[in-house]
Amino acid sequence: MKIIVCKSKEEVAKEAAKFVIDLVKEKNDCILGLATGSTPLGLYNELINDYNENGTSYKNVTTFNLDEYVGIDPSHEQSYHTYMQSNLFDKIDIKQDNVNLPNAVGDLEANAKEYETRIKEAGGIDLQILGIGSNGHIAFNEPGEDFESVTRVIELMESTRNDNSIFFESLDEVPTHAISMGIKSIMGASKILLLATGEGKADAINKMINGEVDESLPASVLQRHNDTILILDEDAARKLDCK
Ligand code: GLP
């Protein structure tokens, strides 16, 4: 794993944006794996600014998002469909037909299977953006999930629901389940960029880099990926020296 430590979360966003923009320029029909949460918002802003200022085009780019909540409508203001539309897709020239998120309405098992197949048929992900949960989860793969897991329905841990309750009016409104790409689906990406900012991630970041590769900390699996870059701010990197 390569580690880049930046002075601020704004620098993390700029650094990450360079990788995405370079890839889109070099391979205009690339496949991007995208994440939600507060961490990638700065990156998406940088992509929008670059699109407006330099015209980098996403016309031929395809995207696959990591996950979607079960039990809220895609039009709900906290769905990941809405998040992606308002924070990125509506503001660049990507084609709606080329954006993919798990469909968390209807037959969930069938939808999850179909999503995994769709990623494979598209040729796999060139560059996957990841955040990390404070408990070390990636996408919604919670501690204890199998490293061989593919896209499926997942029950969210109480700690994750608590972390994500800031986006909802109350904890009760936070969905209990999601459809998420699995660890194996994520590990299939050619290149992975994991972004982490803030002290709340420092513990998980230290364990994923210096700890054992173990299912109790899902992100630790990235030690086995041969092209993963971590882009951290100083707060998230704070515990890195205390092995
Ligand atoms: C959610 C998402 C993850 C994300 C994590 C961290 O659980 N499913 O993909 O990485 O939150 O979110 P944040 O960036 O808001 O800390």
Side-chain angles (χ1 to χ4, degrees), residues 34-41 66-69 80 83 129-135 137-142 156 160-161 163-164 166-167 178 180 195-197 201:
L34 299 178
T36 50
S38 43
T39 312
L41 285 174
L66 288 169
D67 42 22
E68 179 57 291
Y69 288 119
Y80 289 162
Y83 170 108
I129 307 297
L130 286 183
I132 183 169
S134 57
N135 63 3
H137 75 236
I138 46 177
F140 270 131
N141 295 286
E142 299 282 25
L156 304 181
T160 298
R161 293 186 64 241
D163 284 352
N164 290 0
I166 50 165
F167 300 110
S180 175
L195 318 185
T197 58
K201 304 293 170 70

Side-chain angles (χ1 to χ4, degrees), residues 42-171:
L43 159 64
Y44 298 149
N45 271 330
E46 290 295 327
L47 298 184
I48 294 163
N49 290 342
D50 165 73
Y51 168 74
N52 288 330
E53 283 161 26
N54 307 315
T56 305
S57 177
Y58 293 80
K59 256 191 336 226
N60 299 316
V61 170
T62 296
T63 62
F64 283 92
N65 261 80
L66 288 169
D67 42 22
E68 179 57 291
Y69 288 119
V70 169
I72 57 174
D73 195 78
S75 64
H76 187 285
E77 64 168 337
Q78 292 307 333
S79 79
Y80 289 162
H81 279 76
T82 302
Y83 170 108
M84 289 311 303
Q85 284 305 136
S86 52
N87 292 311
L88 184 64
F89 299 152
D90 285 345
K91 298 175 178 165
I92 57 173
D93 65 346
I94 196 156
K95 290 188 189 137
Q96 207 56 45
D97 282 352
N98 291 349
V99 312
N100 300 277
L101 284 98
N103 174 7
V105 176
D107 184 341
L108 304 180
E109 303 294 337
N111 294 351
K113 232 184 200 167
E114 189 268 335
Y115 197 69
E116 189 71 27
T117 308
R118 223 191 297 164
I119 298 171
K120 287 209 182 88
E121 285 177 357
I125 290 166
D126 292 306
L127 176 64
Q128 176 68 57
I129 307 297
L130 286 183
I132 183 169
S134 57
N135 63 3
H137 75 236
I138 46 177
F140 270 131
N141 295 286
E142 299 282 25
E145 292 286 355
D146 194 336
F147 281 168
E148 289 303 308
S149 58
V150 293
T151 307
R152 72 216 176 286
V153 182
I154 284 180
E155 181 171 3
L156 304 181
M157 288 184 73
E158 216 42 38
S159 59
T160 298
R161 293 186 64 241
N162 262 314
D163 284 352
N164 290 0
S165 65
I166 50 165
F167 300 110
F168 292 82
E169 304 226 321
S170 69
L171 181 61

Side-chain angles (χ1 to χ4, degrees), residues 224-238:
R224 293 187 183 152
H225 190 272
N226 62 13
D227 192 4
T228 286
I229 302 176
L230 310 188
I231 309 182
L232 315 173
D233 70 356
E234 287 178 348
D235 287 337
R238 187 157 290 180

